[in-house]
Amino acid sequence: MLKKHLNDYFRLDEHNTSVRTEIVAGITTFLTMAYIIFVNPSILAQAGMDSGAVFVATCVAAAIGCLIMGLWANYPIALAPGMGLNAFFTFGVVLGMGYTWEAALGAVFLSGIIFFMLSIFRIREWIINSIPMSLRLGIAAGIGLFLALIALQNAGIVVDHSATLVTIGDLSQPAALYTLAGFFVISALSYLRVIGAVMIGILGVTFVAILLGHSEFGGIVSTPPSIAPVFLELDIAGALNISMISVVFAFLFVDLFDTAGTLIGVAQRGGLLDKDGKLPRLNKALMADSTATMSGALLGTSSTTSYIESASGIAAGGRTGLTAVIVALLFLVSLFFAPLAGSIPVYATAGALLYVAVLMCGSLAHANWEDVTDAGPVLIAALSMPLTYSIANGIALGFISYAGIKLLSGRYKELNPAVIVLAILFALKFLFID
């Protein structure tokens, strides 16, 4: 009876799949993205947030996002707090700009509301089409470089220097060695197409560190920690400060394009696009993503977004929202593994950050390096993120450089109103607000 209800609700026969296939696909997707359970609390804790509470918020936010995507949009796409966005939250907004983590959560919530409204009024296509491809590529690569710098810092491989700003650290220290070992293992397992390569690398480094006495073992299973320290602690009033405009926009911009790219990419791989190459029920999928972001901010975590790792579940045969529902259930089960998450040292997740950085920097391969009016903004956007320690600054400088170079090159016809307006606003911000 249950199998029939599931078949009717998710239209399994119509998508040429089965309950068993969807369950296997859900488990596969979860294993490839479960690293976020360990990485997200590690990153947000550095912003001053309670690690145990963030662990709970991460699992619950991911479960809510997956359930909405699965039950409402009926897509095999999983969601969780996004990599890059969590790093920007901690190292860019809180530690870099000096805002409280409560105000940063407020900014995440506001970005989710704007994202939701854009989806309702169906103007997201205009926005997406208005942003030049070169800027999108530069921003994706910049986030990757930003993650790489954070990973190398956490490992002590890159340290500050009074004369050169940065220099190499002591590579004989355990943190550096564990980070490099984790990165090597994750990269090799990924190349060999081992499912859960990132999680295996994180847990493997943690196990060896505990075995050698470089980290403490806190246990494996227990009742979930309290979410109270971060639940409903967002400061929306603080996020409405005029100086936070670029922060809200950065959260919105990255989430919007990351989500759109992920949805189309994963759907194309799974044969879910229609005959015109469009994704049916795209609005529902986008609203599911934006709702998950708002829910995550209320729970106490950074922006929740669609995961490209969903492609692994697609490859395993997942075609409907039942795959996402299975992922949601597994995230809820993970709530009871808080002691294990607390046992994982920062350097165990640093190798995973480096690996994700490699994937994101791959976008540089698609840039048009023969045209300097495109290549210049790509490089500026990508480099300025790690060097200014801010995704928002990278986006802003990317827009300004794109508009300025195209204008002075006599190719002003390639500039659309959205790019011109944003470039002017960002320039005014740097001149009069910062």
Side-chain angles (χ1 to χ4, degrees), residues 315-326:
R319 293 294 182 272
T320 74
L322 181 55
T323 293
V325 171
I326 297 301

Side-chain angles (χ1 to χ4, degrees), residues 122-152:
R122 297 178 180 272
I123 59 176
R124 45 141 179 84
E125 292 96 340
W126 176 79
I127 295 177
I128 293 174
N129 294 330
S130 295
I131 308 304
M133 178 58 68
S134 57
L135 284 182
R136 300 187 214 176
L137 297 174
I139 289 168
I143 295 174
L145 293 173
F146 187 42
L147 288 177
L149 178 59
I150 291 169
L152 294 173

